[in-house]
Amino acid sequence: MTDQTAKLDWRAGVPIATRFDDPYYSLENGLAETAHVFLAGNDLPTRFVGDFHIGELGFGTGLNLLVTWAAWAEAGQPGTLRFTSFEAYPMALSDMTDALSRFPTLAPYAQTLLERWRPDIGPVTLTDTLILDVIIGDARYTLPAWDGKADAWYLDGFSPAKNPELWESGLLTTVAQHTKPGGTAATYSAAGHIRRSLAEAGFTVTRTPGYGRKRHMTRATLAHAE
């Protein structure tokens, strides 16, 4: 285990990042949370038409990928889905296996992910229409060096109070620079400074109902190029 590998505690079967003292997904229902915040928050799977690229801050257990993969497969649209995630502290595969075992409906997708993906492996083809690339390192440095642009972003760092680095205004500006015109972003957080930073970066920002006990979340849309 390297210094980069995520170190965990467990609470009722949910992994908790000891570095940030925060769970990787909702203690209530992680699958439902992902569907509400990141799929619905980016108008997915409705927008799955042709090739599509998702960017993510915080790969974690891979749950967001798996929920998206299932939605992509069910949509059955032609094209290729690229899923690029930026992760500073990758989780050990044994821990990922334990975390994802809580979601039996995603088991076939989890099995393929765990068989084919390793940290630092680079882009990996999970199916003939799905390519995953998890870029390891501090997103404040790895994202500016990335040459891609996403149609939709999952902003899924740990709580802004506990993991402020992933919510800095400079990084959110970089997210905007790596978003296609008309692209979107969504996050479970409704913190005022995050909404202001997204707006300053060029997004139109909306506060909408959150998942579970969270009253609000944030959705954002980047203006189309004139």
Side-chain angles (χ1 to χ4, degrees), residues 51-104:
D51 294 341
F52 200 82
H53 199 153
I54 291 173
E56 177 185 54
L57 296 184
F59 186 64
T61 64
L63 178 61
N64 293 343
L65 165 71
L66 299 189
V67 174
T68 304
W69 184 355
W72 172 260
E74 185 174 351
Q77 295 287 351
T80 297
L81 175 65
R82 299 189 67 94
F83 195 102
T84 302
S85 189
F86 297 83
E87 174 60 62
Y89 303 104
M91 186 178 287
L93 292 178
S94 58
D95 289 329
M96 286 180 66
T97 300
D98 290 343
L100 295 174
S101 69
R102 292 173 54 87
F103 308 103

Side-chain angles (χ1 to χ4, degrees), residues 8-226:
L8 309 179
D9 289 326
W10 296 82
R11 187 180 307 157
V14 175
I16 311 295
T18 57
R19 183 177 276 104
F20 303 106
D21 188 29
D22 213 24
Y24 277 85
Y25 47 73
S26 169
L27 296 172
E28 299 172 50
N29 187 323
L31 193 156
E33 178 189 42
T34 291
H36 178 89
V37 175
F38 297 116
L39 291 188
N42 283 289
D43 295 320
L44 304 176
T46 304
R47 294 170 61 205
F48 284 156
V49 179
D51 294 341
F52 200 82
H53 199 153
I54 291 173
E56 177 185 54
L57 296 184
F59 186 64
T61 64
L63 178 61
N64 293 343
L65 165 71
L66 299 189
V67 174
T68 304
W69 184 355
W72 172 260
E74 185 174 351
Q77 295 287 351
T80 297
L81 175 65
R82 299 189 67 94
F83 195 102
T84 302
S85 189
F86 297 83
E87 174 60 62
Y89 303 104
M91 186 178 287
L93 292 178
S94 58
D95 289 329
M96 286 180 66
T97 300
D98 290 343
L100 295 174
S101 69
R102 292 173 54 87
F103 308 103
T105 60
L106 298 175
Y109 305 105
Q111 181 178 351
T112 300
L113 171 66
L114 293 164
E115 287 175 351
R116 299 188 182 181
W117 178 77
R118 298 289 184 276
D120 290 324
I121 197 174
V124 59
T125 299
L126 296 177
T127 73
D128 57 0
T129 65
L130 175 58
I131 299 170
L132 169 67
D133 188 10
V134 181
I135 298 173
I136 305 300
D138 189 327
R140 292 175 294 176
Y141 307 105
T142 57
L143 178 53
W146 184 50
D147 62 2
K149 287 196 173 185
D151 296 282
W153 278 94
Y154 297 174
L155 305 181
D156 196 24
F158 292 109
S159 163
K162 299 176 179 181
N163 184 200
E165 295 82 4
L166 270 193
W167 305 98
E168 292 178 356
S169 60
L171 181 56
L172 296 179
T173 295
T174 305
V175 166
Q177 294 167 346
H178 290 269
T179 303
K180 296 177 185 177
T184 60
T187 174
Y188 62 85
S189 177
H193 71 91
I194 293 172
R195 290 186 283 116
R196 288 190 295 273
S197 293
L198 288 168
E200 290 168 0
F203 287 96
T204 298
V205 179
T206 307
R207 190 175 68 168
T208 62
Y211 173 76
R213 290 175 291 179
K214 290 192 65 66
R215 292 181 59 191
H216 300 110
M217 57 171 278
T218 300
R219 299 176 60 170
T221 302
L222 193 67
H224 285 276
E226 296 184 0

